Amino acid sequence: MLSEFKDFIAKGNVMDMAVGIIIGAAFTAIVTSLVGDLINPIISLFMGGIDFSGMGIRLSEGEDGAVFAYGNFIMALINFLIIAFVVFMLVKMVNRVKDAAAKEEEAVEEAPAGPSQEDLLSEIRDLLKKA
């Protein structure tokens, strides 16, 4: 059972997925900072100093009361749109590279291979018979 688990973990797809998840988490932190530290201040500048992260409606009284924090939702939506756009661009770039590689393979496969060794030997034999 343990050796089967080791084989499963050692497969390339599982390792690729793990690396993708780790990089995705780091990328999410970068985008969150981008939105919170750079984009939101610019948006608030154009909207008269409104800070999205603090926007909300208090649903109950008191310090610990529930808050309908739609500003945090707006920030999360902006984060999602940026991440989705970057992932779209990465997929588009990877597909372009794959298409270029496939075209190169097709060009190599379609190129005439030239005569085989048997063809050359047959031609030499035929020329020797004529001589």
Side-chain angles (χ1 to χ4, degrees), residues 35-107:
V35 171
D37 300 333
L38 301 176
I39 293 177
N40 280 348
I42 293 171
I43 291 173
S44 72
L45 179 70
F46 289 111
M47 296 188 70
I50 298 173
D51 179 20
F52 283 118
S53 62
M55 296 176 83
I57 299 172
R58 185 164 299 281
L59 299 176
S60 63
E61 299 296 323
E63 291 278 326
D64 297 333
V67 175
F68 183 72
Y70 62 87
N72 289 336
F73 176 75
I74 291 172
M75 286 181 54
L77 186 61
I78 293 170
N79 285 349
F80 171 76
L81 292 174
I82 291 172
I83 291 170
F85 180 73
V86 170
V87 169
F88 169 75
M89 296 303 289
L90 287 173
V91 169
K92 190 174 178 178
M93 182 179 64
V94 167
N95 287 340
R96 190 177 306 140
V97 169
K98 283 183 180 179
D99 290 342
K103 285 180 184 178
E104 287 179 12
E105 286 180 13
E106 287 176 9

